[in-house]
Amino acid sequence: KAGVTQTPRYLIKTRGQQVTLSCSPISGHRSVSWYQQTPGQGLQFLFEYFSETQRNKGNFPGRFSGRQFSNSRSEMNVSTLELGDSALYLCASSGTSDTFQETQYFGPGTRLLVL
Amino acid sequence: AQSVSQHNHHVILSEAASLELGCNYSYGGTVNLFWYVQYPGQHLQLLLKYFSGDPLVKGIKGFEAEFIKSKFSFNLRKPSVQWSDTAEYFCAVTRTFTGNQFYFGTGTSLTVIP
């Protein structure tokens, strides 16, 4: 089975711009979660989508949003970029059912640099 | 605040030394526990997980972890490390019945000297 894929892998943007990141989960997985990884804060949960519905949300401002499509692919959008948004954004997929005892499988991440 | 704590931020060992990385969490109720590893330049990979049953779980590459409920701990161990174990190790917790939100520790950087 193909793993979780994320595009693009690297991105450079300037302050004030917006960015959209894409994630394709493992085939059959219905849950997609997004995380922000920075050296100072570690891995922080952004949100989780399951069957096109946001099921959980972390403590990030409204500039961070996401959505999931009927094929389980997910996108994450960050509007009005700030320097502090520079990070590695990780996508993880899990779940062929709606249980909560699932292992998450991570993609390689999108490294975003905001100048 | 509820959290996942990894007390060892940086660990340096010689090859063949034994490894134990600490992980403590502060969430009540039923939890699921994981250790992930991130090798240099690679993505996060699952080492092992605990959902229920035998509190001593074995993972890939000779790693094991023990869940001690009374201590809210899930420490990772390996009897003899290799240079290829150099990586960042993350402990993670999910809370059963509240979704797939993973609460991660801040990570432990392990360097193994040949």
Side-chain angles (χ1 to χ4, degrees), chain A residues 31-47:
Chain A
S31 168
V32 173
S33 297
W34 288 90
Y35 295 84
Q36 182 194 65
Q37 186 178 20
T38 58
Q41 300 295 321
L43 279 148
Q44 293 188 285
F45 173 77
L46 281 154
F47 29 66

Side-chain angles (χ1 to χ4, degrees), chain A:
Chain A
K1 259 186 184 176
V4 178
T5 58
Q6 292 186 245
T7 56
R9 293 292 311 278
Y10 304 92
L11 209 48
I12 300 175
K13 292 285 187 179
T14 56
R15 276 182 300 174
Q17 287 187 308
Q18 73 154 12
V19 66
T20 299
L21 311 181
S22 181
C23 171
S24 293
I26 291 172
S27 177
H29 283 188
R30 294 161 64 187
S31 168
V32 173
S33 297
W34 288 90
Y35 295 84
Q36 182 194 65
Q37 186 178 20
T38 58
Q41 300 295 321
L43 279 148
Q44 293 188 285
F45 173 77
L46 281 154
F47 29 66
E48 181 211 3
Y49 287 87
F50 182 85
S51 294
E52 301 180 66
T53 300
Q54 189 179 86
R55 188 160 67 172
N56 275 296
K57 188 177 188 306
N59 295 323
F60 277 81
R63 299 186 297 108
F64 292 82
S65 63
R67 58 178 176 169
Q68 187 180 33
F69 302 96
S70 58
N71 62 358
S72 293
R73 190 177 70 84
S74 176
E75 287 183 348
M76 188 193 99
N77 184 275
V78 188
S79 63
T80 319
L81 284 166
E82 300 177 0
L83 295 179
D85 296 333
S86 295
L88 181 66
Y89 289 89
L90 295 172
C91 167
S93 79
S94 65
T96 55
S97 70
D98 59 359
T99 68
F100 294 137
Q101 283 191 324
E102 297 283 354
T103 298
Q104 290 196 344
Y105 298 89
F106 285 81
T110 294
R111 188 164 294 282
L112 171 65
L113 177 62
V114 182
L115 301 175

Side-chain angles (χ1 to χ4, degrees), chain B residues 58-86:
Chain B
K58 295 191 185 298
I60 61 171
K61 304 187 181 186
F63 286 92
E64 65 177 31
E66 185 176 12
F67 171 49
I68 303 179
K69 189 174 182 180
S70 61
K71 294 185 178 179
F72 294 85
S73 71
F74 190 56
N75 292 353
L76 180 71
R77 299 194 293 251
K78 186 171 184 179
S80 176
V81 295
Q82 301 173 312
W83 174 78
S84 58
D85 293 325
T86 295

Side-chain angles (χ1 to χ4, degrees), chain B residues 4 9 24 26 31 33 40 48 52 56-57 68 73 76 87 99-100 109:
Chain B
V4 179
H9 297 297
N24 289 88
S26 61
V31 295
L33 300 156
L48 48 79
S52 62
L56 183 62
V57 292
I68 303 179
S73 71
L76 180 71
N100 276 333
S109 174

